[in-house]
Amino acid sequence: MALSSHVPEIGALELLLTVVRLGSVGRAAAELGISQPAASARIKGMERQIGVALLERSPRGSRPTEAGRLVVEWARGVVEAAQALDAGIDALRGRRDARLRVVASLTVAEYLMPGWLLALHESSPGTAVTLRTANSADVAAHVLAGEADLGFVEGPHTPPGLAGAVVAADRLVVVVSPGHPWARRRAPLTGAELAATALVLREPGSGTREVLDQALAPFGGGSAPRLELASSTALKAAAMTGAGPVCLSELAVMEELATRRLVEVPLSGIDLHRPLRAVWPAGQRPAGPARELLGLTRKLPRDRSVPSGPVRRKSSSES
């Protein structure tokens, strides 16, 4: 049943109880952090709403009328219930704000997320983070389904239905084993040559594959891949065993390039730079730990974000 228009709001009842407890509108106003004129106007408005006088005012202060004493008695239970509700809501918000569900593409999860999460732990040590990995298409699906508070994807565009912000930049590189003919190549590899070569690639739906496909489109699209693999680790292993040229994130092969286990092939006339984005549902704004993590991705220096090698996670899925 809907309440009648004569029932005052909780704040007005709380003011009335405070006036009766302290015996003064002025002292009640000071305790509640409002001006005395505002408190007096609120009491008068409540009296008009109820239809009876609630307080007797005198130079010595204010005391409840006979009707006021009844309203005070009834209001006390209402205000106590509201305070219990307020405390319960705070507890729920506290539990919610202490959790963060993140889903990220494999490149971001392995090479950037560790530094970001370390910084988050330092600033908010009570936040429990769940990190899942998926390819960029699946990251978008998880965020849209409400299964993650924040997602991280690779690729030239923000996925449909999501809002996003660029948090880092990356570059795809073509690498081969030291024994591959391209490792001794002097002239840069052209986009047309790359498009005509069967490469070892990530699976469709990954951000890496999307960027490469878009870059090769002006050259008629890429050839059918020699192999399709679902992780950067698998791609690197394939390249080192001589399975063929591999295209993957520069972040993933820094160590192998430094130790000459892999060799980068110079390119000409093709742009393989890409943004890395944080994404969330369109029309919403990240809140709580998600907002804090998003802020850290923009502030944290790159050299802290990128460790020397991949971080092992409990998640068995890879992007």
Side-chain angles (χ1 to χ4, degrees):
M1 183 179 70
L3 296 175
S4 78
S5 60
H6 301 299
V7 177
E9 62 176 11
I10 296 296
L13 295 176
E14 183 181 26
L15 172 61
L16 176 63
L17 294 179
T18 306
V19 171
V20 172
R21 176 167 55 84
L22 298 177
S24 164
V25 174
R27 287 195 291 271
E31 181 172 301
L32 295 177
I34 60 177
S35 68
Q36 180 169 344
S40 295
R42 198 165 192 179
I43 292 292
K44 290 177 180 177
M46 182 166 48
E47 289 177 325
R48 288 194 298 270
Q49 181 181 8
I50 295 175
V52 297
L54 300 174
L55 295 176
E56 294 177 352
R57 300 161 180 85
S58 72
R60 295 188 299 276
S62 300
R63 63 179 186 178
T65 63
E66 183 177 348
R69 283 193 292 271
L70 290 173
V71 172
V72 165
E73 186 63 29
W74 299 328
R76 186 170 288 113
V78 173
V79 172
E80 288 174 354
Q83 290 169 341
L85 175 63
D86 189 26
I89 290 172
D90 277 347
L92 288 174
R93 289 180 61 86
R95 287 203 297 269
R96 182 203 68 184
D97 292 345
R99 298 196 319 267
L100 175 61
R101 301 169 301 162
V102 179
V103 58
S105 68
L106 187 61
T107 298
V108 175
E110 289 196 330
Y111 299 99
L112 296 175
M113 193 62 69
W116 294 341
L117 293 183
L118 177 61
L120 179 65
H121 176 73
E122 290 173 353
S123 61
S124 300
T127 300
V129 180
T130 301
L131 173 62
R132 299 174 61 182
T133 60
N135 67 35
S136 291
D138 289 338
V139 168
H142 286 307
V143 175
L144 285 169
E147 297 167 356
D149 304 304
L150 199 62
F152 292 89
V153 298
E154 311 154 14
H157 307 294
T158 302
L162 299 178
V166 174
V167 296
D170 186 25
R171 180 174 70 97
L172 300 184
V173 293
V174 176
V175 296
V176 294
S177 67
H180 191 280
W182 284 2
R184 299 181 296 276
R185 184 185 176 104
R186 295 185 178 181
L189 190 71
T190 67
E193 289 177 294
L194 187 63
T197 302
L199 304 174
V200 180
L201 298 176
R202 286 291 308 277
E203 78 287 359
S206 72
T208 298
R209 183 69 173 269
E210 180 186 5
V211 170
L212 180 63
D213 287 347
Q214 181 171 306
L216 294 179
F219 305 99
S223 298
R226 184 183 298 273
L227 288 173
E228 290 182 341
L229 301 172
S231 75
S232 297
T233 301
L235 287 175
K236 290 189 291 184
M240 286 187 284
T241 57
V246 167
C247 182
L248 76 174
S249 168
E250 180 182 27
L251 297 173
V253 292
M254 289 192 300
E255 183 177 351
E256 288 77 13
L257 293 177
T259 57
R260 294 288 296 177
R261 285 179 288 167
L262 290 173
V263 177
E264 180 180 351
V265 181
L267 301 176
S268 175
I270 182 170
D271 183 12
L272 293 179
H273 288 84
R274 63 176 178 175
L276 304 177
R277 303 173 191 272
V279 294
W280 56 89
Q284 301 180 21
R285 289 182 176 273
R291 181 179 59 209
E292 186 175 359
L293 178 60
L294 181 59
L296 289 170
T297 65
R298 296 166 172 171
K299 296 176 183 176
L300 197 63
R302 178 185 171 95
D303 59 358
R304 183 176 178 187
S305 299
V306 184
S308 59
V311 172
R312 308 307 300 172
R313 300 173 315 285
K314 292 183 179 180
S315 173
S316 60
S317 59
E318 291 186 316
S319 153

PDB file of all heavy atoms in Angstrom, residues 171-189:
ATOM      1  N   ARG A 171      52.941  -2.549 -30.671  1.00  0.00           N
ATOM      2  CA  ARG A 171      53.311  -2.723 -32.072  1.00  0.00           C
ATOM      3  C   ARG A 171      53.450  -4.210 -32.346  1.00  0.00           C
ATOM      4  O   ARG A 171      54.071  -4.941 -31.566  1.00  0.00           O
ATOM      5  CB  ARG A 171      54.642  -2.016 -32.351  1.00  0.00           C
ATOM      6  CG  ARG A 171      55.135  -2.119 -33.790  1.00  0.00           C
ATOM      7  CD  ARG A 171      56.372  -1.263 -33.977  1.00  0.00           C
ATOM      8  NE  ARG A 171      57.525  -1.803 -33.292  1.00  0.00           N
ATOM      9  CZ  ARG A 171      58.478  -2.551 -33.853  1.00  0.00           C
ATOM     10  NH1 ARG A 171      58.393  -2.855 -35.152  1.00  0.00           N
ATOM     11  NH2 ARG A 171      59.501  -2.990 -33.155  1.00  0.00           N
ATOM     12  N   LEU A 172      52.849  -4.652 -33.430  1.00  0.00           N
ATOM     13  CA  LEU A 172      53.047  -6.031 -33.856  1.00  0.00           C
ATOM     14  C   LEU A 172      54.351  -6.126 -34.641  1.00  0.00           C
ATOM     15  O   LEU A 172      54.712  -5.205 -35.392  1.00  0.00           O
ATOM     16  CB  LEU A 172      51.885  -6.498 -34.731  1.00  0.00           C
ATOM     17  CG  LEU A 172      50.498  -6.480 -34.091  1.00  0.00           C
ATOM     18  CD1 LEU A 172      49.478  -7.062 -35.060  1.00  0.00           C
ATOM     19  CD2 LEU A 172      50.488  -7.233 -32.780  1.00  0.00           C
ATOM     20  N   VAL A 173      55.044  -7.235 -34.461  1.00  0.00           N
ATOM     21  CA  VAL A 173      56.292  -7.451 -35.187  1.00  0.00           C
ATOM     22  C   VAL A 173      56.234  -8.818 -35.849  1.00  0.00           C
ATOM     23  O   VAL A 173      55.535  -9.731 -35.388  1.00  0.00           O
ATOM     24  CB  VAL A 173      57.511  -7.368 -34.253  1.00  0.00           C
ATOM     25  CG1 VAL A 173      57.692  -5.957 -33.727  1.00  0.00           C
ATOM     26  CG2 VAL A 173      57.395  -8.359 -33.093  1.00  0.00           C
ATOM     27  N   VAL A 174      56.973  -8.947 -36.930  1.00  0.00           N
ATOM     28  CA  VAL A 174      57.143 -10.236 -37.599  1.00  0.00           C
ATOM     29  C   VAL A 174      58.496 -10.788 -37.170  1.00  0.00           C
ATOM     30  O   VAL A 174      59.526 -10.108 -37.291  1.00  0.00           O
ATOM     31  CB  VAL A 174      57.079 -10.086 -39.126  1.00  0.00           C
ATOM     32  CG1 VAL A 174      57.363 -11.423 -39.816  1.00  0.00           C
ATOM     33  CG2 VAL A 174      55.713  -9.563 -39.541  1.00  0.00           C
ATOM     34  N   VAL A 175      58.492 -11.992 -36.632  1.00  0.00           N
ATOM     35  CA  VAL A 175      59.734 -12.596 -36.138  1.00  0.00           C
ATOM     36  C   VAL A 175      59.903 -13.979 -36.750  1.00  0.00           C
ATOM     37  O   VAL A 175      58.929 -14.655 -37.104  1.00  0.00           O
ATOM     38  CB  VAL A 175      59.732 -12.702 -34.592  1.00  0.00           C
ATOM     39  CG1 VAL A 175      59.704 -11.323 -33.952  1.00  0.00           C
ATOM     40  CG2 VAL A 175      58.561 -13.547 -34.099  1.00  0.00           C
ATOM     41  N   VAL A 176      61.176 -14.368 -36.854  1.00  0.00           N
ATOM     42  CA  VAL A 176      61.521 -15.687 -37.388  1.00  0.00           C
ATOM     43  C   VAL A 176      62.668 -16.255 -36.559  1.00  0.00           C
ATOM     44  O   VAL A 176      63.309 -15.544 -35.779  1.00  0.00           O
ATOM     45  CB  VAL A 176      61.947 -15.602 -38.872  1.00  0.00           C
ATOM     46  CG1 VAL A 176      60.793 -15.168 -39.753  1.00  0.00           C
ATOM     47  CG2 VAL A 176      63.138 -14.665 -39.037  1.00  0.00           C
ATOM     48  N   SER A 177      62.933 -17.524 -36.741  1.00  0.00           N
ATOM     49  CA  SER A 177      64.087 -18.146 -36.089  1.00  0.00           C
ATOM     50  C   SER A 177      65.370 -17.635 -36.743  1.00  0.00           C
ATOM     51  O   SER A 177      65.353 -17.201 -37.902  1.00  0.00           O
ATOM     52  CB  SER A 177      64.008 -19.664 -36.211  1.00  0.00           C
ATOM     53  OG  SER A 177      64.167 -20.053 -37.565  1.00  0.00           O
ATOM     54  N   PRO A 178      66.496 -17.669 -36.037  1.00  0.00           N
ATOM     55  CA  PRO A 178      67.754 -17.205 -36.639  1.00  0.00           C
ATOM     56  C   PRO A 178      68.139 -17.952 -37.911  1.00  0.00           C
ATOM     57  O   PRO A 178      68.869 -17.404 -38.750  1.00  0.00           O
ATOM     58  CB  PRO A 178      68.784 -17.452 -35.521  1.00  0.00           C
ATOM     59  CG  PRO A 178      67.990 -17.414 -34.258  1.00  0.00           C
ATOM     60  CD  PRO A 178      66.663 -18.022 -34.617  1.00  0.00           C
ATOM     61  N   GLY A 179      67.651 -19.176 -38.087  1.00  0.00           N
ATOM     62  CA  GLY A 179      67.981 -19.942 -39.281  1.00  0.00           C
ATOM     63  C   GLY A 179      67.079 -19.681 -40.467  1.00  0.00           C
ATOM     64  O   GLY A 179      67.322 -20.207 -41.565  1.00  0.00           O
ATOM     65  N   HIS A 180      66.040 -18.887 -40.303  1.00  0.00           N
ATOM     66  CA  HIS A 180      65.105 -18.621 -41.404  1.00  0.00           C
ATOM     67  C   HIS A 180      65.752 -17.651 -42.396  1.00  0.00           C
ATOM     68  O   HIS A 180      66.499 -16.742 -42.001  1.00  0.00           O
ATOM     69  CB  HIS A 180      63.819 -18.008 -40.831  1.00  0.00           C
ATOM     70  CG  HIS A 180      62.698 -17.942 -41.806  1.00  0.00           C
ATOM     71  ND1 HIS A 180      62.587 -16.957 -42.769  1.00  0.00           N
ATOM     72  CD2 HIS A 180      61.612 -18.765 -41.991  1.00  0.00           C
ATOM     73  CE1 HIS A 180      61.493 -17.154 -43.468  1.00  0.00           C
ATOM     74  NE2 HIS A 180      60.883 -18.247 -43.029  1.00  0.00           N
ATOM     75  N   PRO A 181      65.479 -17.805 -43.704  1.00  0.00           N
ATOM     76  CA  PRO A 181      66.069 -16.888 -44.704  1.00  0.00           C
ATOM     77  C   PRO A 181      65.765 -15.421 -44.429  1.00  0.00           C
ATOM     78  O   PRO A 181      66.599 -14.550 -44.722  1.00  0.00           O
ATOM     79  CB  PRO A 181      65.440 -17.366 -46.014  1.00  0.00           C
ATOM     80  CG  PRO A 181      65.119 -18.802 -45.783  1.00  0.00           C
ATOM     81  CD  PRO A 181      64.739 -18.909 -44.337  1.00  0.00           C
ATOM     82  N   TRP A 182      64.600 -15.117 -43.866  1.00  0.00           N
ATOM     83  CA  TRP A 182      64.288 -13.720 -43.594  1.00  0.00           C
ATOM     84  C   TRP A 182      65.186 -13.120 -42.512  1.00  0.00           C
ATOM     85  O   TRP A 182      65.318 -11.900 -42.417  1.00  0.00           O
ATOM     86  CB  TRP A 182      62.827 -13.585 -43.174  1.00  0.00           C
ATOM     87  CG  TRP A 182      61.850 -13.691 -44.322  1.00  0.00           C
ATOM     88  CD1 TRP A 182      62.138 -13.929 -45.635  1.00  0.00           C
ATOM     89  CD2 TRP A 182      60.442 -13.565 -44.245  1.00  0.00           C
ATOM     90  NE1 TRP A 182      60.991 -13.951 -46.383  1.00  0.00           N
ATOM     91  CE2 TRP A 182      59.920 -13.729 -45.551  1.00  0.00           C
ATOM     92  CE3 TRP A 182      59.548 -13.339 -43.209  1.00  0.00           C
ATOM     93  CZ2 TRP A 182      58.564 -13.669 -45.833  1.00  0.00           C
ATOM     94  CZ3 TRP A 182      58.187 -13.269 -43.489  1.00  0.00           C
ATOM     95  CH2 TRP A 182      57.694 -13.439 -44.791  1.00  0.00           C
ATOM     96  N   ALA A 183      65.793 -13.947 -41.664  1.00  0.00           N
ATOM     97  CA  ALA A 183      66.664 -13.423 -40.602  1.00  0.00           C
ATOM     98  C   ALA A 183      67.905 -12.762 -41.188  1.00  0.00           C
ATOM     99  O   ALA A 183      68.527 -11.918 -40.530  1.00  0.00           O
ATOM    100  CB  ALA A 183      67.064 -14.547 -39.655  1.00  0.00           C
ATOM    101  N   ARG A 184      68.285 -13.131 -42.431  1.00  0.00           N
ATOM    102  CA  ARG A 184      69.468 -12.556 -43.082  1.00  0.00           C
ATOM    103  C   ARG A 184      69.084 -11.551 -44.157  1.00  0.00           C
ATOM    104  O   ARG A 184      69.941 -11.068 -44.908  1.00  0.00           O
ATOM    105  CB  ARG A 184      70.308 -13.680 -43.697  1.00  0.00           C
ATOM    106  CG  ARG A 184      70.808 -14.681 -42.649  1.00  0.00           C
ATOM    107  CD  ARG A 184      71.652 -15.779 -43.259  1.00  0.00           C
ATOM    108  NE  ARG A 184      70.879 -16.611 -44.192  1.00  0.00           N
ATOM    109  CZ  ARG A 184      70.115 -17.636 -43.799  1.00  0.00           C
ATOM    110  NH1 ARG A 184      69.999 -17.941 -42.516  1.00  0.00           N
ATOM    111  NH2 ARG A 184      69.454 -18.349 -44.697  1.00  0.00           N
ATOM    112  N   ARG A 185      67.823 -11.240 -44.205  1.00  0.00           N
ATOM    113  CA  ARG A 185      67.325 -10.344 -45.240  1.00  0.00           C
ATOM    114  C   ARG A 185      67.810  -8.914 -44.983  1.00  0.00           C
ATOM    115  O   ARG A 185      67.771  -8.428 -43.855  1.00  0.00           O
ATOM    116  CB  ARG A 185      65.800 -10.399 -45.247  1.00  0.00           C
ATOM    117  CG  ARG A 185      65.132  -9.589 -46.340  1.00  0.00           C
ATOM    118  CD  ARG A 185      63.629  -9.616 -46.173  1.00  0.00           C
ATOM    119  NE  ARG A 185      62.989  -8.767 -47.151  1.00  0.00           N
ATOM    120  CZ  ARG A 185      62.354  -9.206 -48.236  1.00  0.00           C
ATOM    121  NH1 ARG A 185      62.273 -10.509 -48.455  1.00  0.00           N
ATOM    122  NH2 ARG A 185      61.801  -8.359 -49.077  1.00  0.00           N
ATOM    123  N   ARG A 186      68.279  -8.236 -46.025  1.00  0.00           N
ATOM    124  CA  ARG A 186      68.760  -6.862 -45.886  1.00  0.00           C
ATOM    125  C   ARG A 186      67.666  -5.838 -46.186  1.00  0.00           C
ATOM    126  O   ARG A 186      67.553  -4.829 -45.500  1.00  0.00           O
ATOM    127  CB  ARG A 186      69.956  -6.621 -46.805  1.00  0.00           C
ATOM    128  CG  ARG A 186      71.172  -7.449 -46.420  1.00  0.00           C
ATOM    129  CD  ARG A 186      72.369  -7.084 -47.266  1.00  0.00           C
ATOM    130  NE  ARG A 186      73.552  -7.841 -46.863  1.00  0.00           N
ATOM    131  CZ  ARG A 186      74.752  -7.697 -47.438  1.00  0.00           C
ATOM    132  NH1 ARG A 186      74.911  -6.829 -48.441  1.00  0.00           N
ATOM    133  NH2 ARG A 186      75.776  -8.425 -47.013  1.00  0.00           N
ATOM    134  N   ALA A 187      66.864  -6.098 -47.194  1.00  0.00           N
ATOM    135  CA  ALA A 187      65.805  -5.160 -47.563  1.00  0.00           C
ATOM    136  C   ALA A 187      64.573  -5.408 -46.705  1.00  0.00           C
ATOM    137  O   ALA A 187      64.244  -6.554 -46.389  1.00  0.00           O
ATOM    138  CB  ALA A 187      65.448  -5.315 -49.040  1.00  0.00           C
ATOM    139  N   PRO A 188      63.855  -4.348 -46.292  1.00  0.00           N
ATOM    140  CA  PRO A 188      62.626  -4.549 -45.509  1.00  0.00           C
ATOM    141  C   PRO A 188      61.608  -5.371 -46.287  1.00  0.00           C
ATOM    142  O   PRO A 188      61.543  -5.337 -47.523  1.00  0.00           O
ATOM    143  CB  PRO A 188      62.121  -3.119 -45.271  1.00  0.00           C
ATOM    144  CG  PRO A 188      63.313  -2.255 -45.458  1.00  0.00           C
ATOM    145  CD  PRO A 188      64.156  -2.926 -46.501  1.00  0.00           C
ATOM    146  N   LEU A 189      60.801  -6.088 -45.564  1.00  0.00           N
ATOM    147  CA  LEU A 189      59.726  -6.898 -46.149  1.00  0.00           C
ATOM    148  C   LEU A 189      58.554  -5.973 -46.474  1.00  0.00           C
ATOM    149  O   LEU A 189      58.122  -5.185 -45.640  1.00  0.00           O
ATOM    150  CB  LEU A 189      59.296  -7.969 -45.148  1.00  0.00           C
ATOM    151  CG  LEU A 189      58.362  -9.067 -45.635  1.00  0.00           C
ATOM    152  CD1 LEU A 189      59.093 -10.011 -46.579  1.00  0.00           C
ATOM    153  CD2 LEU A 189      57.804  -9.832 -44.434  1.00  0.00           C
TER     154      LEU A 189
END
